[in-house]
Amino acid sequence: MDNVTERDAHLRISAELMMFLPVSRRRERQRIAIGGSSTLGHHVESAGIPLTEVGPMTVAGRGVGPSYQPAAGDVIEVRPVPRPQPLPREPRFLLDVHLGTLSRRLRLLGLDAAYHNDMDDPALVVQANEEHRVLLTQDRGLLRRRALWLGAYVRGSRPQDQLRDLLERFTPPLRPWTRCTACNGELAPVPKGEVLPLLEAGTRHGYDAYGQCGDCGHVYWHGAHSGHLEEIVRSAREWAATG
């Protein structure tokens, strides 16, 4: 471990943030150069950690922000964003192009999750800002865009792990089966007679309860895949109850 001298300043990185550091520099203490006008936020991001993932930062027990300019001898504690993360309102999400499966699972749980499979990074930032959505991504460069009002790095490679990570971080209220998994519109109960022309013959005879999306008109019922979907909902409710 590096020793602190009067000419040094160091970041002390929490274990939860170590994953963002390059493997060759994955150690708790990171020496930073003193001088010029570089801010603490600049040093943290230069180490590889998006500021969206950083919570309290302190020097000798005193809280400091990203605009703080480190001084010689400083040892700056860098901790992860708290969980659950406080937000000014119930979260609404926007997911980047690589998180399509996660977007459908969030919608299944009744969460407002916008998603486009053809939107570039600048357009994502514009929509997130205009609609006050939390931008979800695994692209650290996207999270470092200065114009972005709020984003979050999604941990995990499997959709179920990603979903659990988000539910534990934001603890949003769950309202399963209330959103269209295709377009994110809200569902409303609809009489069977109104949607009969949209149904296959086997569906007409096998089911009586239907919901329809107010935006795209897609019709939903508990069909052949409901067991798989029910398991996703059951697991999500368990994570929410123990989070």
Side-chain angles (χ1 to χ4, degrees):
M1 181 180 294
D2 296 331
N3 293 319
V4 178
T5 71
E6 292 183 356
R7 293 174 296 176
D8 293 330
H10 283 75
L11 305 177
R12 183 177 288 155
I13 309 296
S14 293
E16 295 90 339
L17 297 174
M18 207 71 68
M19 60 174 285
F20 294 108
L21 303 179
V23 174
S24 61
R25 297 181 56 198
R26 199 162 288 177
R27 55 186 179 273
E28 179 188 35
R29 185 166 291 189
Q30 304 285 319
R31 188 175 67 85
I32 57 178
I34 299 302
S37 58
S38 294
T39 64
L40 175 57
H42 169 78
H43 287 298
V44 170
E45 288 196 324
S46 295
I49 307 172
L51 288 179
T52 58
E53 308 312 298
V54 174
M57 296 188 286
T58 58
V59 178
R62 174 173 60 91
V64 293
S67 61
Y68 175 75
Q69 290 189 344
D74 281 350
V75 178
I76 305 160
E77 305 282 348
V78 182
R79 300 181 179 87
V81 68
R83 293 191 174 217
Q85 180 176 352
L87 293 177
R89 62 189 62 147
E90 184 175 319
R92 306 168 69 210
F93 301 108
L94 172 63
L95 293 85
D96 78 4
V97 65
H98 303 291
L99 298 174
T101 299
L102 178 61
S103 72
R104 292 188 291 274
R105 294 194 178 199
L106 291 172
R107 294 167 179 176
L108 173 66
L109 299 174
L111 302 177
D112 189 340
Y115 170 78
H116 314 276
N117 62 9
D118 58 354
M119 186 174 281
D120 62 16
D121 289 357
L124 285 169
V125 172
V126 169
Q127 182 177 356
N129 292 348
E130 289 182 346
E131 300 179 8
H132 285 89
R133 294 180 179 273
V134 182
L135 180 55
L136 305 179
T137 182
Q138 293 183 324
D139 182 343
R140 302 178 202 180
L142 180 54
L143 292 176
R144 287 198 294 267
R145 287 182 172 256
R146 299 297 180 191
L148 179 63
W149 87 285
L150 184 60
Y153 183 88
V154 179
R155 301 186 182 218
S157 57
R158 301 182 304 169
Q160 59 264 42
D161 297 330
Q162 296 169 352
L163 180 61
R164 182 168 188 169
D165 175 59
L166 289 176
L167 296 183
E168 291 176 347
R169 177 165 177 169
F170 295 107
T171 61
L174 305 184
R175 305 179 184 92
W177 316 106
T178 61
R179 282 194 178 270
C180 177
T181 57
C183 81
N184 198 42
E186 296 184 1
L187 302 183
V190 60
K192 182 176 181 178
E194 291 186 14
V195 295
L196 276 178
L198 304 175
L199 305 177
E200 299 290 340
T203 304
R204 295 175 188 172
H205 298 297
Y207 305 95
D208 293 313
Y210 297 88
Q212 188 170 31
C213 176
D215 290 344
C216 72
H218 194 86
V219 179
Y220 289 82
W221 64 92
H222 284 287
H225 301 292
S226 63
H228 171 62
L229 300 182
E230 289 281 6
E231 177 60 24
I232 294 173
V233 172
R234 183 195 64 77
S235 296
R237 282 174 164 157
E238 285 186 358
W239 298 332
T242 59

PDB file of all heavy atoms in Angstrom, residues 8-35:
ATOM      1  N   ASP A   8       1.489  14.142  -1.093  1.00  0.00           N
ATOM      2  CA  ASP A   8       0.523  13.238  -1.718  1.00  0.00           C
ATOM      3  C   ASP A   8      -0.896  13.536  -1.256  1.00  0.00           C
ATOM      4  O   ASP A   8      -1.127  14.108  -0.198  1.00  0.00           O
ATOM      5  CB  ASP A   8       0.828  11.786  -1.334  1.00  0.00           C
ATOM      6  CG  ASP A   8       2.143  11.293  -1.907  1.00  0.00           C
ATOM      7  OD1 ASP A   8       2.520  11.782  -2.984  1.00  0.00           O
ATOM      8  OD2 ASP A   8       2.775  10.436  -1.266  1.00  0.00           O
ATOM      9  N   ALA A   9      -1.842  13.083  -2.081  1.00  0.00           N
ATOM     10  CA  ALA A   9      -3.227  12.920  -1.655  1.00  0.00           C
ATOM     11  C   ALA A   9      -3.668  11.568  -2.170  1.00  0.00           C
ATOM     12  O   ALA A   9      -3.136  11.060  -3.166  1.00  0.00           O
ATOM     13  CB  ALA A   9      -4.114  14.033  -2.199  1.00  0.00           C
ATOM     14  N   HIS A  10      -4.591  10.960  -1.471  1.00  0.00           N
ATOM     15  CA  HIS A  10      -5.020   9.618  -1.850  1.00  0.00           C
ATOM     16  C   HIS A  10      -6.547   9.511  -1.817  1.00  0.00           C
ATOM     17  O   HIS A  10      -7.203  10.161  -0.993  1.00  0.00           O
ATOM     18  CB  HIS A  10      -4.446   8.556  -0.900  1.00  0.00           C
ATOM     19  CG  HIS A  10      -3.006   8.246  -1.143  1.00  0.00           C
ATOM     20  ND1 HIS A  10      -1.993   9.083  -0.768  1.00  0.00           N
ATOM     21  CD2 HIS A  10      -2.407   7.175  -1.736  1.00  0.00           C
ATOM     22  CE1 HIS A  10      -0.821   8.551  -1.092  1.00  0.00           C
ATOM     23  NE2 HIS A  10      -1.045   7.388  -1.686  1.00  0.00           N
ATOM     24  N   LEU A  11      -7.063   8.701  -2.705  1.00  0.00           N
ATOM     25  CA  LEU A  11      -8.447   8.242  -2.631  1.00  0.00           C
ATOM     26  C   LEU A  11      -8.437   6.889  -1.938  1.00  0.00           C
ATOM     27  O   LEU A  11      -7.623   6.030  -2.269  1.00  0.00           O
ATOM     28  CB  LEU A  11      -9.059   8.088  -4.027  1.00  0.00           C
ATOM     29  CG  LEU A  11      -9.017   9.283  -4.967  1.00  0.00           C
ATOM     30  CD1 LEU A  11      -9.610   8.897  -6.316  1.00  0.00           C
ATOM     31  CD2 LEU A  11      -9.741  10.470  -4.378  1.00  0.00           C
ATOM     32  N   ARG A  12      -9.328   6.707  -0.993  1.00  0.00           N
ATOM     33  CA  ARG A  12      -9.511   5.386  -0.385  1.00  0.00           C
ATOM     34  C   ARG A  12     -10.851   4.862  -0.889  1.00  0.00           C
ATOM     35  O   ARG A  12     -11.911   5.346  -0.505  1.00  0.00           O
ATOM     36  CB  ARG A  12      -9.476   5.469   1.134  1.00  0.00           C
ATOM     37  CG  ARG A  12      -9.589   4.090   1.806  1.00  0.00           C
ATOM     38  CD  ARG A  12      -9.469   4.203   3.312  1.00  0.00           C
ATOM     39  NE  ARG A  12      -8.097   4.506   3.708  1.00  0.00           N
ATOM     40  CZ  ARG A  12      -7.780   5.127   4.850  1.00  0.00           C
ATOM     41  NH1 ARG A  12      -8.737   5.548   5.659  1.00  0.00           N
ATOM     42  NH2 ARG A  12      -6.515   5.344   5.159  1.00  0.00           N
ATOM     43  N   ILE A  13     -10.786   3.869  -1.760  1.00  0.00           N
ATOM     44  CA  ILE A  13     -11.952   3.384  -2.493  1.00  0.00           C
ATOM     45  C   ILE A  13     -12.643   2.253  -1.731  1.00  0.00           C
ATOM     46  O   ILE A  13     -11.992   1.270  -1.343  1.00  0.00           O
ATOM     47  CB  ILE A  13     -11.546   2.884  -3.899  1.00  0.00           C
ATOM     48  CG1 ILE A  13     -10.715   3.945  -4.635  1.00  0.00           C
ATOM     49  CG2 ILE A  13     -12.773   2.477  -4.697  1.00  0.00           C
ATOM     50  CD1 ILE A  13     -11.444   5.211  -4.933  1.00  0.00           C
ATOM     51  N   SER A  14     -13.952   2.362  -1.538  1.00  0.00           N
ATOM     52  CA  SER A  14     -14.712   1.293  -0.900  1.00  0.00           C
ATOM     53  C   SER A  14     -14.720   0.038  -1.778  1.00  0.00           C
ATOM     54  O   SER A  14     -14.641   0.121  -3.007  1.00  0.00           O
ATOM     55  CB  SER A  14     -16.159   1.737  -0.655  1.00  0.00           C
ATOM     56  OG  SER A  14     -16.221   2.757   0.307  1.00  0.00           O
ATOM     57  N   ALA A  15     -14.851  -1.107  -1.120  1.00  0.00           N
ATOM     58  CA  ALA A  15     -14.809  -2.384  -1.844  1.00  0.00           C
ATOM     59  C   ALA A  15     -15.902  -2.471  -2.910  1.00  0.00           C
ATOM     60  O   ALA A  15     -15.694  -3.054  -3.980  1.00  0.00           O
ATOM     61  CB  ALA A  15     -14.953  -3.535  -0.851  1.00  0.00           C
ATOM     62  N   GLU A  16     -17.071  -1.868  -2.639  1.00  0.00           N
ATOM     63  CA  GLU A  16     -18.184  -1.945  -3.590  1.00  0.00           C
ATOM     64  C   GLU A  16     -17.890  -1.224  -4.898  1.00  0.00           C
ATOM     65  O   GLU A  16     -18.532  -1.492  -5.922  1.00  0.00           O
ATOM     66  CB  GLU A  16     -19.454  -1.358  -2.969  1.00  0.00           C
ATOM     67  CG  GLU A  16     -19.985  -2.142  -1.784  1.00  0.00           C
ATOM     68  CD  GLU A  16     -19.409  -1.649  -0.464  1.00  0.00           C
ATOM     69  OE1 GLU A  16     -18.332  -1.005  -0.469  1.00  0.00           O
ATOM     70  OE2 GLU A  16     -20.035  -1.898   0.572  1.00  0.00           O
ATOM     71  N   LEU A  17     -16.933  -0.301  -4.879  1.00  0.00           N
ATOM     72  CA  LEU A  17     -16.593   0.461  -6.082  1.00  0.00           C
ATOM     73  C   LEU A  17     -15.356  -0.073  -6.788  1.00  0.00           C
ATOM     74  O   LEU A  17     -14.994   0.411  -7.861  1.00  0.00           O
ATOM     75  CB  LEU A  17     -16.372   1.935  -5.718  1.00  0.00           C
ATOM     76  CG  LEU A  17     -17.591   2.669  -5.162  1.00  0.00           C
ATOM     77  CD1 LEU A  17     -17.191   4.070  -4.702  1.00  0.00           C
ATOM     78  CD2 LEU A  17     -18.705   2.747  -6.199  1.00  0.00           C
ATOM     79  N   MET A  18     -14.716  -1.075  -6.218  1.00  0.00           N
ATOM     80  CA  MET A  18     -13.466  -1.592  -6.773  1.00  0.00           C
ATOM     81  C   MET A  18     -13.655  -2.155  -8.178  1.00  0.00           C
ATOM     82  O   MET A  18     -12.728  -2.144  -9.000  1.00  0.00           O
ATOM     83  CB  MET A  18     -12.900  -2.665  -5.847  1.00  0.00           C
ATOM     84  CG  MET A  18     -11.403  -2.816  -5.907  1.00  0.00           C
ATOM     85  SD  MET A  18     -10.514  -1.436  -5.174  1.00  0.00           S
ATOM     86  CE  MET A  18     -10.940  -1.626  -3.443  1.00  0.00           C
ATOM     87  N   MET A  19     -14.852  -2.630  -8.503  1.00  0.00           N
ATOM     88  CA  MET A  19     -15.111  -3.226  -9.805  1.00  0.00           C
ATOM     89  C   MET A  19     -14.899  -2.246 -10.959  1.00  0.00           C
ATOM     90  O   MET A  19     -14.665  -2.661 -12.100  1.00  0.00           O
ATOM     91  CB  MET A  19     -16.550  -3.750  -9.874  1.00  0.00           C
ATOM     92  CG  MET A  19     -17.603  -2.675  -9.661  1.00  0.00           C
ATOM     93  SD  MET A  19     -19.305  -3.248  -9.904  1.00  0.00           S
ATOM     94  CE  MET A  19     -19.353  -3.364 -11.683  1.00  0.00           C
ATOM     95  N   PHE A  20     -14.969  -0.948 -10.684  1.00  0.00           N
ATOM     96  CA  PHE A  20     -14.823   0.042 -11.747  1.00  0.00           C
ATOM     97  C   PHE A  20     -13.369   0.362 -12.062  1.00  0.00           C
ATOM     98  O   PHE A  20     -13.089   1.008 -13.070  1.00  0.00           O
ATOM     99  CB  PHE A  20     -15.555   1.333 -11.353  1.00  0.00           C
ATOM    100  CG  PHE A  20     -17.051   1.179 -11.259  1.00  0.00           C
ATOM    101  CD1 PHE A  20     -17.683   1.177 -10.028  1.00  0.00           C
ATOM    102  CD2 PHE A  20     -17.818   1.014 -12.398  1.00  0.00           C
ATOM    103  CE1 PHE A  20     -19.046   1.034  -9.932  1.00  0.00           C
ATOM    104  CE2 PHE A  20     -19.197   0.869 -12.313  1.00  0.00           C
ATOM    105  CZ  PHE A  20     -19.814   0.871 -11.077  1.00  0.00           C
ATOM    106  N   LEU A  21     -12.448  -0.073 -11.213  1.00  0.00           N
ATOM    107  CA  LEU A  21     -11.040   0.229 -11.426  1.00  0.00           C
ATOM    108  C   LEU A  21     -10.418  -0.756 -12.414  1.00  0.00           C
ATOM    109  O   LEU A  21     -10.795  -1.931 -12.450  1.00  0.00           O
ATOM    110  CB  LEU A  21     -10.278   0.163 -10.101  1.00  0.00           C
ATOM    111  CG  LEU A  21     -10.782   1.065  -8.967  1.00  0.00           C
ATOM    112  CD1 LEU A  21      -9.926   0.863  -7.720  1.00  0.00           C
ATOM    113  CD2 LEU A  21     -10.780   2.524  -9.389  1.00  0.00           C
ATOM    114  N   PRO A  22      -9.459  -0.314 -13.223  1.00  0.00           N
ATOM    115  CA  PRO A  22      -8.725  -1.263 -14.067  1.00  0.00           C
ATOM    116  C   PRO A  22      -8.089  -2.348 -13.195  1.00  0.00           C
ATOM    117  O   PRO A  22      -7.665  -2.072 -12.067  1.00  0.00           O
ATOM    118  CB  PRO A  22      -7.658  -0.379 -14.730  1.00  0.00           C
ATOM    119  CG  PRO A  22      -8.197   1.010 -14.644  1.00  0.00           C
ATOM    120  CD  PRO A  22      -8.990   1.074 -13.378  1.00  0.00           C
ATOM    121  N   VAL A  23      -8.020  -3.554 -13.714  1.00  0.00           N
ATOM    122  CA  VAL A  23      -7.512  -4.675 -12.926  1.00  0.00           C
ATOM    123  C   VAL A  23      -6.120  -4.376 -12.376  1.00  0.00           C
ATOM    124  O   VAL A  23      -5.806  -4.691 -11.225  1.00  0.00           O
ATOM    125  CB  VAL A  23      -7.485  -5.960 -13.791  1.00  0.00           C
ATOM    126  CG1 VAL A  23      -6.826  -7.098 -13.025  1.00  0.00           C
ATOM    127  CG2 VAL A  23      -8.906  -6.351 -14.196  1.00  0.00           C
ATOM    128  N   SER A  24      -5.299  -3.709 -13.165  1.00  0.00           N
ATOM    129  CA  SER A  24      -3.925  -3.432 -12.732  1.00  0.00           C
ATOM    130  C   SER A  24      -3.858  -2.408 -11.596  1.00  0.00           C
ATOM    131  O   SER A  24      -2.840  -2.302 -10.913  1.00  0.00           O
ATOM    132  CB  SER A  24      -3.096  -2.924 -13.914  1.00  0.00           C
ATOM    133  OG  SER A  24      -3.635  -1.713 -14.427  1.00  0.00           O
ATOM    134  N   ARG A  25      -4.950  -1.672 -11.381  1.00  0.00           N
ATOM    135  CA  ARG A  25      -4.963  -0.648 -10.326  1.00  0.00           C
ATOM    136  C   ARG A  25      -6.032  -0.937  -9.279  1.00  0.00           C
ATOM    137  O   ARG A  25      -6.439  -0.042  -8.542  1.00  0.00           O
ATOM    138  CB  ARG A  25      -5.222   0.726 -10.940  1.00  0.00           C
ATOM    139  CG  ARG A  25      -4.138   1.196 -11.900  1.00  0.00           C
ATOM    140  CD  ARG A  25      -4.464   2.573 -12.426  1.00  0.00           C
ATOM    141  NE  ARG A  25      -4.650   3.529 -11.336  1.00  0.00           N
ATOM    142  CZ  ARG A  25      -5.272   4.710 -11.494  1.00  0.00           C
ATOM    143  NH1 ARG A  25      -5.764   5.042 -12.668  1.00  0.00           N
ATOM    144  NH2 ARG A  25      -5.385   5.528 -10.471  1.00  0.00           N
ATOM    145  N   ARG A  26      -6.467  -2.173  -9.201  1.00  0.00           N
ATOM    146  CA  ARG A  26      -7.581  -2.519  -8.314  1.00  0.00           C
ATOM    147  C   ARG A  26      -7.070  -2.707  -6.880  1.00  0.00           C
ATOM    148  O   ARG A  26      -6.883  -3.820  -6.396  1.00  0.00           O
ATOM    149  CB  ARG A  26      -8.286  -3.773  -8.837  1.00  0.00           C
ATOM    150  CG  ARG A  26      -9.690  -3.961  -8.282  1.00  0.00           C
ATOM    151  CD  ARG A  26     -10.484  -4.933  -9.135  1.00  0.00           C
ATOM    152  NE  ARG A  26     -10.860  -4.355 -10.424  1.00  0.00           N
ATOM    153  CZ  ARG A  26     -11.502  -5.024 -11.377  1.00  0.00           C
ATOM    154  NH1 ARG A  26     -11.801  -6.294 -11.194  1.00  0.00           N
ATOM    155  NH2 ARG A  26     -11.810  -4.420 -12.513  1.00  0.00           N
ATOM    156  N   ARG A  27      -6.857  -1.592  -6.226  1.00  0.00           N
ATOM    157  CA  ARG A  27      -6.441  -1.588  -4.832  1.00  0.00           C
ATOM    158  C   ARG A  27      -7.173  -0.458  -4.107  1.00  0.00           C
ATOM    159  O   ARG A  27      -7.623   0.504  -4.740  1.00  0.00           O
ATOM    160  CB  ARG A  27      -4.931  -1.414  -4.710  1.00  0.00           C
ATOM    161  CG  ARG A  27      -4.358  -0.199  -5.399  1.00  0.00           C
ATOM    162  CD  ARG A  27      -2.838  -0.186  -5.343  1.00  0.00           C
ATOM    163  NE  ARG A  27      -2.273   0.976  -6.017  1.00  0.00           N
ATOM    164  CZ  ARG A  27      -1.993   1.036  -7.309  1.00  0.00           C
ATOM    165  NH1 ARG A  27      -2.239  -0.034  -8.086  1.00  0.00           N
ATOM    166  NH2 ARG A  27      -1.481   2.124  -7.854  1.00  0.00           N
ATOM    167  N   GLU A  28      -7.230  -0.566  -2.798  1.00  0.00           N
ATOM    168  CA  GLU A  28      -8.045   0.361  -2.015  1.00  0.00           C
ATOM    169  C   GLU A  28      -7.564   1.797  -2.136  1.00  0.00           C
ATOM    170  O   GLU A  28      -8.368   2.716  -2.278  1.00  0.00           O
ATOM    171  CB  GLU A  28      -8.028  -0.062  -0.544  1.00  0.00           C
ATOM    172  CG  GLU A  28      -8.826   0.862   0.367  1.00  0.00           C
ATOM    173  CD  GLU A  28      -8.643   0.527   1.830  1.00  0.00           C
ATOM    174  OE1 GLU A  28      -7.522   0.109   2.202  1.00  0.00           O
ATOM    175  OE2 GLU A  28      -9.589   0.687   2.600  1.00  0.00           O
ATOM    176  N   ARG A  29      -6.259   2.011  -2.067  1.00  0.00           N
ATOM    177  CA  ARG A  29      -5.730   3.370  -2.031  1.00  0.00           C
ATOM    178  C   ARG A  29      -5.163   3.763  -3.387  1.00  0.00           C
ATOM    179  O   ARG A  29      -4.368   3.050  -3.972  1.00  0.00           O
ATOM    180  CB  ARG A  29      -4.673   3.495  -0.941  1.00  0.00           C
ATOM    181  CG  ARG A  29      -4.147   4.918  -0.762  1.00  0.00           C
ATOM    182  CD  ARG A  29      -3.379   5.087   0.524  1.00  0.00           C
ATOM    183  NE  ARG A  29      -4.264   4.998   1.674  1.00  0.00           N
ATOM    184  CZ  ARG A  29      -3.879   5.290   2.912  1.00  0.00           C
ATOM    185  NH1 ARG A  29      -2.638   5.685   3.147  1.00  0.00           N
ATOM    186  NH2 ARG A  29      -4.724   5.185   3.913  1.00  0.00           N
ATOM    187  N   GLN A  30      -5.601   4.925  -3.872  1.00  0.00           N
ATOM    188  CA  GLN A  30      -5.174   5.438  -5.160  1.00  0.00           C
ATOM    189  C   GLN A  30      -4.516   6.805  -4.960  1.00  0.00           C
ATOM    190  O   GLN A  30      -5.144   7.735  -4.445  1.00  0.00           O
ATOM    191  CB  GLN A  30      -6.389   5.601  -6.095  1.00  0.00           C
ATOM    192  CG  GLN A  30      -7.213   4.339  -6.299  1.00  0.00           C
ATOM    193  CD  GLN A  30      -6.536   3.351  -7.207  1.00  0.00           C
ATOM    194  OE1 GLN A  30      -5.944   3.730  -8.214  1.00  0.00           O
ATOM    195  NE2 GLN A  30      -6.622   2.065  -6.877  1.00  0.00           N
ATOM    196  N   ARG A  31      -3.252   6.915  -5.351  1.00  0.00           N
ATOM    197  CA  ARG A  31      -2.570   8.204  -5.226  1.00  0.00           C
ATOM    198  C   ARG A  31      -3.020   9.137  -6.335  1.00  0.00           C
ATOM    199  O   ARG A  31      -3.184   8.727  -7.480  1.00  0.00           O
ATOM    200  CB  ARG A  31      -1.049   8.017  -5.291  1.00  0.00           C
ATOM    201  CG  ARG A  31      -0.263   9.300  -4.982  1.00  0.00           C
ATOM    202  CD  ARG A  31       1.236   9.019  -4.932  1.00  0.00           C
ATOM    203  NE  ARG A  31       1.737   8.655  -6.234  1.00  0.00           N
ATOM    204  CZ  ARG A  31       2.119   9.534  -7.172  1.00  0.00           C
ATOM    205  NH1 ARG A  31       2.013  10.834  -6.935  1.00  0.00           N
ATOM    206  NH2 ARG A  31       2.582   9.113  -8.328  1.00  0.00           N
ATOM    207  N   ILE A  32      -3.240  10.401  -6.000  1.00  0.00           N
ATOM    208  CA  ILE A  32      -3.655  11.389  -6.996  1.00  0.00           C
ATOM    209  C   ILE A  32      -2.677  12.559  -6.966  1.00  0.00           C
ATOM    210  O   ILE A  32      -2.105  12.889  -5.929  1.00  0.00           O
ATOM    211  CB  ILE A  32      -5.103  11.879  -6.761  1.00  0.00           C
ATOM    212  CG1 ILE A  32      -5.265  12.466  -5.365  1.00  0.00           C
ATOM    213  CG2 ILE A  32      -6.079  10.736  -6.981  1.00  0.00           C
ATOM    214  CD1 ILE A  32      -6.661  13.013  -5.097  1.00  0.00           C
ATOM    215  N   ALA A  33      -2.494  13.137  -8.142  1.00  0.00           N
ATOM    216  CA  ALA A  33      -1.551  14.251  -8.276  1.00  0.00           C
ATOM    217  C   ALA A  33      -2.187  15.533  -7.763  1.00  0.00           C
ATOM    218  O   ALA A  33      -3.362  15.818  -8.019  1.00  0.00           O
ATOM    219  CB  ALA A  33      -1.141  14.408  -9.731  1.00  0.00           C
ATOM    220  N   ILE A  34      -1.418  16.305  -7.027  1.00  0.00           N
ATOM    221  CA  ILE A  34      -1.873  17.581  -6.496  1.00  0.00           C
ATOM    222  C   ILE A  34      -1.322  18.706  -7.366  1.00  0.00           C
ATOM    223  O   ILE A  34      -0.172  18.670  -7.805  1.00  0.00           O
ATOM    224  CB  ILE A  34      -1.398  17.765  -5.044  1.00  0.00           C
ATOM    225  CG1 ILE A  34      -1.972  16.655  -4.169  1.00  0.00           C
ATOM    226  CG2 ILE A  34      -1.802  19.130  -4.504  1.00  0.00           C
ATOM    227  CD1 ILE A  34      -3.471  16.585  -4.170  1.00  0.00           C
ATOM    228  N   GLY A  35      -2.135  19.709  -7.577  1.00  0.00           N
ATOM    229  CA  GLY A  35      -1.696  20.841  -8.387  1.00  0.00           C
ATOM    230  C   GLY A  35      -2.699  21.148  -9.467  1.00  0.00           C
ATOM    231  O   GLY A  35      -3.549  20.313  -9.825  1.00  0.00           O
TER     232      GLY A  35
END
